[in-house]
């Protein structure tokens, strides 16, 4: 197992600076963000432009990682593959394929994304839609030696009422998506606030988890007593404002990282555990964000052998 982090938390920095910082702070891997660059860098990260990527660019990226002794664990493009606008859905699928092409050139095994959801359809209708839309992407990736990994983020902000916007949030849905040839990019933080035991959910599926993310969650049960499980309604500022829980860097929330890492080891996991930094306390500028990554490192690195 290696410890890395997802570069999306540092959208303002170029990849070479992130790699240098990671290596100098004893991180071993990077999960690299590849959203299309539209100029809105506060809300997205584009550390590899997969739309203009050939052998020269692949050689440059490989040389960068070799120079710093880092592993490139996955390309990361987490978007709604069931977007209700069919034109936008096609654009997203095209960018997933571009990520697959770049991963194949780089010798990277994984591309991360979401299932997503059409918010105007029922779950049953969304499952039928996914069974039409996703197998061609799985086949495209497989032909190039790449696997598509799905993060189990709820993406409640994608739904107008704060309901799940990514149909990969529970073990029941994991089993369904495994049947489509997809793999899981396991993140315990989402399970915690859903009321699912992250360790119990993890244990049976380690062999379908080639890559994992490390994000924590801090719960406030007293606030839940006011708002209920689904969070704020009248007082909700935006789709992401539940009011009773928030994401934290590992070590500052309620996830039991000793049990998580031990369960991964027990199940034979040999991949990368990638910190996904979305902590509202340790963010806002580069210095504070990197301090958050240092906190995560102090929490997780002692648990990883080697």
């Amino acid at each position: 197992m290696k410890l890395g982090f997802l570069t999306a938390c540092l959208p303002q920095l170029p990849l070479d600076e992130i790699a240098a910082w990671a290596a100098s702070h004893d991180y071993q891997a990077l999960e690299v963000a590849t959203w299309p660059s539209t100029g809105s860098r506060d809300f997205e990260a584009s550390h590899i432009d997969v739309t203009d990527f050939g052998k020269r660019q692949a050689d440059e990226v490989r040389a960068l990682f070799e120079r710093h002794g880092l592993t490139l664990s996955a390309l990361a493009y987490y978007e709604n593959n069931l977007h209700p606008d069919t034109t936008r859905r096609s654009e997203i699928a095209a960018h997933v394929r571009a990520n697959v092409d770049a991963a194949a050139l780089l010798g990277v095994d994984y591309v991360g994304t979401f299932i997503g959801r059409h918010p105007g359809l029922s779950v049953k209708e969304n499952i039928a839609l996914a069974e039409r839309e996703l197998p061609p992407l799985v086949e495209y990736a497989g032909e190039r030696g790449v696997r598509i990994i799905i993060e189990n983020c709820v993406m409640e902000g994608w739904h107008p009422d704060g309901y799940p916007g990514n149909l990969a949030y529970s073990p029941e849905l994991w089993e369904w998506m495994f049947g489509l040839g997809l793999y899981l990019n396991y993140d315990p933080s989402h399970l915690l606030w859903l009321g699912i035991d992250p360790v119990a959910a993890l244990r049976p599926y380690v062999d379908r988890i080639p890559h994992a993310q490390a994000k924590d969650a801090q719960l406030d049960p007293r606030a839940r007593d006011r708002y209920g499980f689904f969070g704020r309604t009248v007082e909700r500022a935006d789709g992401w404002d539940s009011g009773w829980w928030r994401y934290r860097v590992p070590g500052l929330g309620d996830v039991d990282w000793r049990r998580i890492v031990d369960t991964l080891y027990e199940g034979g996991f040999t991949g990368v555990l990638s910190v996904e930094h979305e902590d509202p306390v340790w963010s806002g500028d580069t210095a504070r964000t990197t301090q958050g990554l240092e906190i995560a490192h102090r929490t997780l690195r002692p648990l990883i052998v080697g």
Side-chain angles (χ1 to χ4, degrees), residues 81-82 114-115 126-142 146-148 150 167-168 172-183 208:
N81 282 281
L82 303 182
F114 290 137
I115 299 289
N126 268 279
I127 285 174
L129 178 61
E131 289 173 352
R132 295 195 299 272
E133 297 287 340
L134 294 175
L137 294 178
V138 172
E139 182 178 1
Y140 187 88
V146 175
R147 287 186 277 184
I148 295 177
I150 303 294
L167 297 183
E172 177 189 23
L173 288 162
W174 299 349
E175 292 177 358
W176 160 72
M177 71 184 196
F178 294 157
L180 300 181
L182 297 161
Y183 291 79
R208 299 292 296 187

Side-chain angles (χ1 to χ4, degrees), residues 105-129:
L105 281 171
L106 287 164
V108 171
D109 293 331
Y110 310 113
V111 168
T113 190
F114 290 137
I115 299 289
R117 179 179 186 168
H118 186 317
L121 301 178
S122 69
V123 171
K124 184 176 181 180
E125 290 167 331
N126 268 279
I127 285 174
L129 178 61

Side-chain angles (χ1 to χ4, degrees), residues 53-65:
F53 199 82
K55 184 179 182 303
R56 178 180 60 81
Q57 290 88 348
D59 289 343
E60 290 172 353
V61 171
R62 279 197 300 269
L64 172 66
F65 276 73

